Amino acid sequence: MTNRRRHYPPRRRSRTRQVTPRTHWLLLSVLVVTLSTALLLQGYTHHMFGIASDNVTDVRGRNATVPSQVIHGGPVIAKAATSPHTAQVKARTIALTFDDGPDPVWTPRILEVLRRNHVHATFFILGTQAVAHPELVRRIVADGHQIGIHAFTHPDLARLAPWQRSLELRETQLAVAGAAGVTTTLLRPPYSSENDALDDADWSVLKQANATGYVTALTTQDAEDWQRPGVERIIARATPRGHAGQIVLMHDAGGDRSQTVAALGSLIPRLKAQSFKFATVSDAVGMAAPVRPAGLGDHLQGLALIKVLQGGDWVVWLLGLVMYAAGVISVLRAVVVLIAARRHRRLRTGQGRSWGPPVTEPVTVIVPAYNESAGIEAAVLSLLGSDHPVEIIVVDDGSTDGTADLVESLRLPVRVIRQQNAGKPAALNTGLSAATWDLVVMVDGDTVFEPDTVRTIVQPFADPRVGAVSGNAKVVNRGGLLGRWQHIEYVVGFNLDRRLFDLAECMPTVPGAVGAFRRRALLDLGGVSDVTLAEDTDLTMALCRDGWRVVYEEGARAWTEAPASLNALWRQRYRWCYGTLQAMWKHRGALVQRGPGGKLGRRGLLYLLFFQVLLPLLAPVVDIFALYGLVFLDPVRIIGLWLAFLLLQLMMGLYAFRLDGERPGPLWSLPLQQFVYRQLMYLVVIQSVFTAVSGSRLRWQRMERYGSLQAPAGTEAPRKDLTPQEPGLPQPTPYEGHPQPAPYDALQQQAPYNGLPQPPPHNGFRQPAPHGTPQWY
């Protein structure tokens, strides 16, 4: 690489206003917040607490604040916050109560037993169960039974903050109001039992509940059916001793309640035979009816709550299905890509594998350049160091930083064509029209070739079916995490996919950094189109649809500058992705085409759609669901799945680095890549899709150049006292017996090319009209 430094006028910033939609970010934010809220509610209601045995609470604490009349009083407690008093159950009266329901299996069976025996009971409803089965709440009320509140998620209310207690009770009340159109003032806190079991924490719950209008109904007799001790044992524990009235605790949900159903069928007739009568809790103690019609506001809010939480359940189910499907598809893709890469390597390196006779004819190398002064010297010198005869044409597309002047000052056998700024496709078409040879290599101005790159990339043209060849673009500026991550992406993502595309004969993109084409094939298409921002993808797809084979030559390596900042990376990938979407839409007809075009459509386009559009669009949902799993599900399983996918990516990376002859050291940053780089890439896809859907047209965006390119070792700039015809200049090594093109003087204008062999005219070649604003690369 030359050490000389040159000073050029500072680059002028474009005044072009980039018009991009902004409302989609607001829409995306709303969707993310809505999804997160739905998952938060669903996780809280289903996983934060759960139904457990009634004896799971710790040993009760002090009861210094619990009034003595409450400890020794009746099971129904009113006015706990002011002047507490209790109510006893009437003699020979049984109030059957059922907690934790309604349950879709056991509640209907219990209701049927009660109906047959003409008994009314009291059901203390869980809010989550009411949301899940509102029809059962309505049936309980319709059958004449009484409704009470048993919290929303079955937590120990004494352990919760006051605001959480209020939330639990309020949401349960709304669920009942939405399900059955009624409200109730009866409350039974989860894990409560008899009066003498109350401690100070429990008493604070009862006082807070009473302040909002609730009356607490405890129990006097526990059937302990949650232990499933057997039917006879349940009957014995539920049978009163003596003639005192009882509030009997049983359960209609929370597990297998078959023993409860069977015990009820025997218990009720037996107690009736002993002259006991059955009543609801309010009737058993003689209190006013606690259940009343709900107001319109509460009913509507309750309906909304039920719909939201049911929607959350549906969303979680759908996301789980999508997660499993995406996981299976990703694993299958990884397996297919690895198998294809191995097979591709065997085909390319196997004994006797050859494209045909060696291709020795000269090649025209076209370098479109706009403000490439930072790297153009290294790029040109690397091309002159090729071991294949080349004609180099630099098309300066209206640069303002002296790019053309710099190339001319080097006094190298390079043609420089100046044109007004019209965009990269126009610059490429200018180079095509000026090219001498049929084989054309296109290279960006921020890219350097190895000495054998040109020779290697044109060898597949020995096969007359080949119309284009993709080379192996590699990142030169690999310093820092961003450089490493892009290096990994180039080696693992781009090149593994290209091997698969090559085998499937559906290559969608020949990169602008290193690609070779048959000039006549491009002219048959009308040149390089400017209707998309991804002119390389558009051109490649057009060649495939025109019947040409496009292949990948991994040995044709080129070194390119990658963006060194997140902002620059965003702009580059935004243009790439948006341009790819444009090209996919433009060539959607390939889906129904036959022959090579059909392979592109049904293989290449569908692959791009699934793995470069749809999966990235789902990535934010996957991340949110992963966080949901860490908080509410099994974090060990979630972390294990993440590590499994990371291991799969690492295996792919190691194999891809081995295929490319790269050291695997940068792969240590792969886990970090998942937390920054991956998110940036899927946001790019989201931005591109919304831009495309909105119909906005994205303009060319300027790429920053950093001057990190170096010409191949041994290639130096000529001395100032030499002209391009004098000996001592670095010249490509000619193939014996093959005529070489004469060197050209640098040109100040595009046409005519005095003294140069011109290609035959081609009808239908189209030169895109210049745009009114600078076009950037």
Side-chain angles (χ1 to χ4, degrees), residues 300-325:
L300 293 178
Q301 291 182 59
L303 287 175
L305 176 66
I306 291 174
K307 294 302 181 183
V308 167
L309 293 181
Q310 288 180 342
D313 293 340
W314 182 83
V315 167
V316 170
W317 175 84
L318 181 62
L319 290 181
L321 183 64
V322 170
M323 287 279 288
Y324 281 115

Side-chain angles (χ1 to χ4, degrees), residues 19-246:
V19 180
T20 56
R22 298 299 178 190
T23 55
H24 66 278
W25 289 122
L26 177 61
L27 176 61
L28 177 63
S29 300
V30 171
L31 290 176
V32 169
V33 170
T34 302
L35 177 61
S36 301
T37 303
L39 290 177
L40 184 63
L41 287 174
Q42 204 275 349
Y44 178 86
T45 56
H46 288 72
H47 304 288
M48 184 63 73
F49 306 102
I51 300 174
S53 300
D54 286 349
N55 65 342
V56 299
T57 54
D58 294 338
V59 178
R60 71 185 180 92
R62 294 167 51 87
N63 61 355
T65 62
V66 183
S68 175
Q69 66 268 31
V70 171
I71 295 177
H72 302 289
V76 178
I77 305 170
K79 297 185 178 180
T82 55
S83 55
H85 66 268
T86 66
Q88 296 282 356
V89 181
K90 300 173 184 177
R92 291 190 175 273
T93 302
I94 302 295
L96 292 176
T97 63
F98 298 90
D99 289 3
D100 301 343
D103 181 271
V105 175
W106 306 114
T107 300
R109 297 185 185 184
I110 290 174
L111 290 174
E112 180 60 25
V113 173
L114 297 175
R115 185 191 65 78
R116 288 199 310 263
N117 290 276
H118 307 287
V119 168
H120 290 155
T122 303
F123 289 80
F124 288 95
I125 300 295
L126 279 179
T128 54
Q129 294 297 100
V131 167
H133 311 290
E135 72 286 351
L136 291 179
V137 180
R138 289 192 292 271
R139 180 177 172 182
I140 291 172
V141 174
D143 285 358
H145 301 289
Q146 200 166 72
I147 292 289
I149 297 300
H150 195 48
F152 199 79
T153 59
H154 205 272
D156 186 350
L157 296 177
R159 297 173 177 269
L160 300 185
W163 69 268
Q164 284 182 287
R165 299 172 186 170
S166 297
L167 180 65
E168 286 281 331
L169 301 184
R170 176 59 179 165
E171 297 307 293
T172 310
Q173 193 72 259
L174 287 177
V176 171
V182 297
T183 60
T184 179
T185 58
L186 273 184
L187 167 68
R188 173 174 289 165
Y191 308 111
S192 61
S193 57
E194 300 177 5
N195 294 49
D196 60 1
L198 292 173
D199 61 14
D200 293 342
D202 298 326
W203 185 243
S204 69
V205 172
L206 269 58
K207 289 196 298 181
Q208 181 178 347
N210 173 252
T212 56
Y214 286 99
V215 174
T216 302
L218 301 179
T219 62
T220 61
Q221 199 154 346
D222 186 355
E224 297 185 0
D225 57 338
W226 49 269
Q227 292 184 344
R228 284 181 287 177
V231 174
E232 291 302 323
R233 193 66 178 267
I234 294 175
I235 293 174
R237 291 174 176 172
T239 300
R241 297 173 181 83
H243 304 296
Q246 305 290 337

